[in-house]
Amino acid sequence: LSSSMAFILATQSAKHAQLYHPRMGGARREDTDATENGSISHALILGAGKELEVVRIPHKVKGKPTGEIVDAKDWRTNDAKEARSAIRAAGRIPVLSKKHDIIKGTVAAIREAIAELDEPITLDGQSEVTLVWSEDAQLDGSAVPVLCRARIDHLRLSAGTWYDFKFCDSVSPRSVQRHMVEYGTDIQHWAYTSALSRLVPDLAGRWDGQIVFCESKPPYCVTPIRPDGAMREMGEHRWERAKTM
């Protein structure tokens, strides 16, 4: 069980979770420009995650190859589409060179905004940390173990802090609140904190988890969020319910 599967269970059904779970149906949602841009930004900010690869294709003149390999300008040609599919199949993120340069500029601006926060975020720990743990679910009066999994964007174990980055159009309080409910960030925050409290019991109850919302367009504002009591309670409720489904 992961927080993304728990969100599907809480908002759709067990059949939907079965369809998308990697060990069951294994279906994948189609990547959109927004999700792909977010993956690229994650990789650049954290220095971890999937490797980026600029898409390059054979240069052609009047449909005939010249023997030269050039950067793809867009996704319209079959050569570009085939190259993109091959890169994804290899577990890397395909990116057009012009987009790569734009996103690098965006990431630089976000890094600058992070450094200027009243409470600066220090990324000197470990990125893309996978956690595996077990929790009990109460089914028909019996405790049944549930194997759980999470991947944290950045973990500072010595400081007892963790960060997860989200990229969006607006980091206004209203937009952030809506995002947390609509995309299951409340579940994610509870699941991560629960995992770390079990895996590092000395820090149980003292973990400081922040969801860092970053604007992907100028002026590239950044808002770190620590969910309030009501949001944490909702995350716990939805996570606990998902364990029994």
Side-chain angles (χ1 to χ4, degrees):
L1 181 68
S2 65
S3 60
S4 60
M5 287 297 113
F7 178 63
I8 292 174
L9 285 166
T11 58
Q12 297 185 66
S13 71
K15 284 186 175 292
H16 287 88
Q18 182 182 35
L19 174 65
Y20 290 110
H21 196 288
R23 296 190 182 185
M24 296 180 190
R28 289 189 58 185
R29 289 188 171 89
E30 187 69 26
D31 287 331
T32 64
D33 284 345
T35 58
E36 206 152 70
N37 288 351
S39 297
I40 295 169
S41 299
H42 264 95
L44 293 176
I45 284 180
L46 301 173
K50 290 184 179 181
E51 181 183 349
L52 309 183
E53 184 173 336
V54 174
V55 177
R56 309 197 77 211
I57 58 175
H59 181 240
K60 295 180 179 179
V61 176
K62 295 182 179 180
K64 295 182 179 180
T66 65
E68 183 183 2
I69 302 296
V70 297
D71 292 343
K73 295 181 179 179
D74 52 49
W75 302 119
R76 288 181 292 182
T77 67
N78 289 332
D79 286 337
K81 292 175 183 176
E82 290 173 5
R84 178 173 61 181
S85 297
I87 291 170
R88 284 176 176 167
R92 296 186 291 274
I93 301 173
V95 57
L96 298 173
S97 59
K98 61 182 180 181
K99 179 184 284 189
H100 187 252
D101 293 340
I102 291 171
I103 292 178
K104 282 175 65 178
T106 298
V107 169
I110 290 173
R111 280 183 172 273
E112 185 176 343
I114 289 172
E116 293 175 351
L117 291 170
D118 292 337
E119 185 182 337
I121 292 172
T122 304
L123 300 177
D124 60 356
Q126 297 173 280
S127 294
E128 298 287 353
V129 179
T130 298
L131 307 177
V132 178
W133 75 104
S134 180
E135 296 188 17
D136 285 342
Q138 294 298 322
L139 293 173
D140 299 324
S142 300
V144 178
V146 177
L147 186 63
C148 307
R149 184 180 186 276
R151 177 169 291 178
I152 293 179
D153 281 351
H154 196 82
L155 175 66
R156 299 180 68 216
L157 186 59
S158 59
T161 60
W162 61 265
Y163 303 103
D164 189 81
F165 289 83
K166 305 291 184 188
F167 299 89
C168 51
D169 290 335
S170 171
V171 296
S172 69
R174 183 176 180 181
S175 295
V176 166
Q177 189 85 358
R178 185 173 64 248
H179 185 286
M180 294 192 72
V181 175
E182 290 183 356
Y183 293 94
T185 310
D186 59 316
I187 304 174
Q188 181 184 24
H189 189 277
W190 178 263
Y192 287 11
T193 303
S194 176
L196 289 166
S197 294
R198 293 167 188 273
L199 295 171
V200 190
D202 289 347
L203 292 175
R206 293 188 287 133
W207 280 100
D208 179 22
Q210 297 182 47
I211 309 297
V212 186
F213 288 91
C214 309
E215 289 182 349
S216 52
K217 298 177 181 179
Y220 305 112
C221 292
V222 173
T223 300
I225 295 293
R226 293 180 176 93
D228 61 20
M231 188 66 70
R232 292 196 303 271
E233 185 176 340
M234 183 168 67
E236 178 185 12
H237 173 74
R238 297 210 285 179
W239 173 256
E240 292 296 327
R241 181 170 178 270
K243 288 195 305 186
T244 66
M245 294 182 70

